[in-house]
Amino acid sequence: AGRLDSRAAVVAMTASPTSGRVPPRLPPDTPLRIASHCAAMYAKGAVAALSLHRVARYASRSKRLCTLATRCVVVNGVMFLGSLAVLDHALAPFVAWVLARWTAADAAGGASGASASSSRSLAASAVSSSFLWTARAAWLYPTYFASTVVNSFTAGEIARISCALAAEDDGARARARRRRETGSNELDGWDDKDEKNDGGRRGGVAGFAEAVYHVLIVNSLFAQITALSFVLTGTIGRWITRALQTWLYAYYCHDYLWSARGKPARWRLSHFEGNWCYYAGFGSPIVLISALNLSTFYASAVQAMAFPVFMIAAIASGGEGAEVGAYGENGGETTRQGTFPVFHLASASARAVLRLAGAGGGSKGGGAKRTKGE
């Protein structure tokens, strides 16, 4: 009986909120167990990000999704990376070869002396630099801007289709669970939307203020990462900025799913900060691309090609791995890894901007009320 009771307690603590059962409060734990749990949650997030079988399953169910993924590869892998390759490995070496021949011919023509050689080198360097800057301004930067715009629309369309497929999966699981509970194949008067979109949506001034607040939070975190990358240039600074980047990319990937389910911005932040280990693990494979010592443009192109894959993986997983922990009665999350204030500075900046604009920053409590299914 003691074994059964302990086993039932473990099952209750790890129950998913989507199952309708709210786990009890977790007992105090030792630092070693907490560290072990954090490492397990980090690994679970990384595994969820690398669940390519889910991405392949979604791609097999939608031809439109395959078309959009192909467009993303063509725009970033062929157009943008192709432009970079032509500029760096064809045009730049060709210009350098022409300038080398020009300086060699000038030297063979009779010009001599150290001052003449130095002036020719300076002139060649100036011409080469001018050519590279002109090529970047006239060709590379417009291509980068165009690919960014196309990526934005493509990612939104991929997210819309993936969320629709995820909604179908959620409905199928809910119907199967309902059949098991009732023992019948009929679902009289039951609607899938009750479980898919339990967060609700806000309209009017409050909804607009919440949308602005959400945009400001994401951009504030991005500005924070950019500023830290210039201030903290050592090894510690790189690790800090990459840790923030893991959370930023993980938030980007899951934000489409939360938006489709009608989760308010306050709920997203509370949920994210309560599962910071899981989302750090999810964003790590994306950030590892920047650790390959690629230039800024090459890393941006590779990340742009990889981002839809991780976004589909996030939507297909449904964030199930992060739904581990006890949920407080006032809407906050109490997980074994604790709450890490990932968005503290970003949220404070967003609230300050909204207060200056007179739109308000939402309630000071910071948490959205949960429904029974959450």
Side-chain angles (χ1 to χ4, degrees), residues 33 49 58 117 119 162 182 186 208 235-236 244 248 339 347 374:
R33 290 180 178 177
Y58 271 35
S117 177
S119 62
S162 300
T182 60
E186 296 181 359
F208 176 75
T235 304
I236 298 178
L244 291 174
L248 181 63
T339 300
S347 180
E374 293 175 9

Side-chain angles (χ1 to χ4, degrees), residues 40-98:
M41 292 298 296
Y42 181 91
K44 185 179 291 187
V47 169
L50 298 175
S51 299
L52 300 181
H53 63 283
R54 294 174 174 172
V55 180
R57 181 166 56 87
Y58 271 35
S60 65
R61 293 168 57 185
S62 174
K63 293 183 179 179
R64 178 62 177 168
L65 200 61
C66 296
T67 302
L68 292 172
T70 304
R71 179 198 298 175
C72 187
V73 172
V74 170
V75 170
N76 296 281
V78 178
M79 293 179 58
F80 188 55
L81 279 180
S83 299
L84 285 171
V86 170
L87 179 62
D88 293 339
H89 301 289
L91 292 180
F94 176 75
V95 171
W97 177 77
V98 171

Side-chain angles (χ1 to χ4, degrees), residues 200-215 264-265 268 354 359:
R201 296 183 183 273
R202 303 172 67 187
V205 177
F208 176 75
E210 183 174 310
V212 174
Y213 173 74
H214 175 253
V215 173
R268 303 179 200 184
L354 287 178

Side-chain angles (χ1 to χ4, degrees), residues 3-369:
R3 290 182 180 179
L4 292 177
D5 293 340
S6 61
R7 192 172 301 174
V10 172
V11 172
M13 284 191 296
T14 57
S16 172
T18 57
S19 64
R21 294 175 296 176
V22 180
R25 291 184 179 274
L26 295 172
D29 220 335
T30 62
L32 182 60
R33 290 180 178 177
I34 294 175
S36 176
H37 176 71
C38 290
M41 292 298 296
Y42 181 91
K44 185 179 291 187
V47 169
L50 298 175
S51 299
L52 300 181
H53 63 283
R54 294 174 174 172
V55 180
R57 181 166 56 87
Y58 271 35
S60 65
R61 293 168 57 185
S62 174
K63 293 183 179 179
R64 178 62 177 168
L65 200 61
C66 296
T67 302
L68 292 172
T70 304
R71 179 198 298 175
C72 187
V73 172
V74 170
V75 170
N76 296 281
V78 178
M79 293 179 58
F80 188 55
L81 279 180
S83 299
L84 285 171
V86 170
L87 179 62
D88 293 339
H89 301 289
L91 292 180
F94 176 75
V95 171
W97 177 77
V98 171
L99 292 175
R101 294 294 299 269
W102 170 65
T103 53
D106 192 15
S112 60
S115 60
S117 177
S118 177
S119 62
R120 286 193 299 269
S121 299
L122 291 175
S125 178
V127 171
S128 178
S129 299
S130 300
F131 171 79
L132 290 178
W133 277 106
T134 303
R136 287 178 180 274
W139 182 8
L140 191 58
Y141 290 118
T143 305
Y144 176 75
F145 176 77
S147 64
T148 303
V149 174
V150 174
N151 290 335
S152 178
F153 285 102
T154 304
E157 185 69 11
I158 289 176
R160 185 188 65 80
I161 297 174
S162 300
C163 288
L165 295 175
E168 293 178 2
D169 293 341
D170 292 341
R173 285 192 294 266
R175 287 191 293 270
R177 183 171 64 250
R178 184 78 171 184
R179 292 191 186 98
R180 289 195 301 268
E181 292 175 355
T182 60
S184 173
N185 292 330
E186 296 181 359
L187 302 177
D188 296 332
W190 185 80
D191 191 1
D192 292 348
K193 294 182 180 179
D194 295 337
E195 292 202 11
K196 290 186 296 184
N197 200 11
D198 53 3
R201 296 183 183 273
R202 303 172 67 187
V205 177
F208 176 75
E210 183 174 310
V212 174
Y213 173 74
H214 175 253
V215 173
L216 288 175
I217 283 176
V218 176
N219 285 277
S220 297
L221 183 60
F222 180 77
Q224 179 181 338
I225 295 173
T226 304
L228 287 176
S229 65
F230 287 103
V231 175
L232 304 176
T233 57
T235 304
I236 298 178
R238 285 196 298 269
W239 279 104
I240 292 176
T241 54
R242 285 176 181 174
L244 291 174
Q245 285 175 350
T246 60
W247 289 316
L248 181 63
Y249 283 119
Y251 190 88
Y252 277 150
C253 290
H254 291 81
D255 190 48
Y256 292 97
L257 176 65
W258 296 333
S259 177
R261 291 181 174 178
K263 302 297 183 182
R266 296 284 184 173
W267 181 93
R268 303 179 200 184
L269 300 187
S270 176
H271 170 77
F272 194 94
E273 291 179 345
N275 292 278
W276 58 279
C277 290
Y278 174 85
Y279 290 111
F282 191 95
S284 294
I286 312 176
V287 177
L288 283 178
I289 297 175
S290 62
L292 300 177
N293 293 325
L294 299 174
S295 65
T296 302
F297 286 113
Y298 281 99
S300 299
V302 175
Q303 287 177 342
M305 285 191 296
F307 176 74
V309 176
F310 293 108
M311 181 178 62
I312 297 174
I315 295 173
S317 66
E320 294 177 353
E323 304 292 341
V324 177
Y327 297 85
E329 296 178 357
N330 58 353
E333 292 195 12
T334 304
T335 54
R336 293 181 67 185
Q337 67 262 37
T339 300
F340 189 82
V342 179
F343 294 96
H344 178 72
L345 293 177
S347 180
S349 302
R351 287 197 300 268
V353 172
L354 287 178
R355 280 197 297 266
L356 291 176
S363 62
K364 294 182 180 179
K369 292 184 177 180

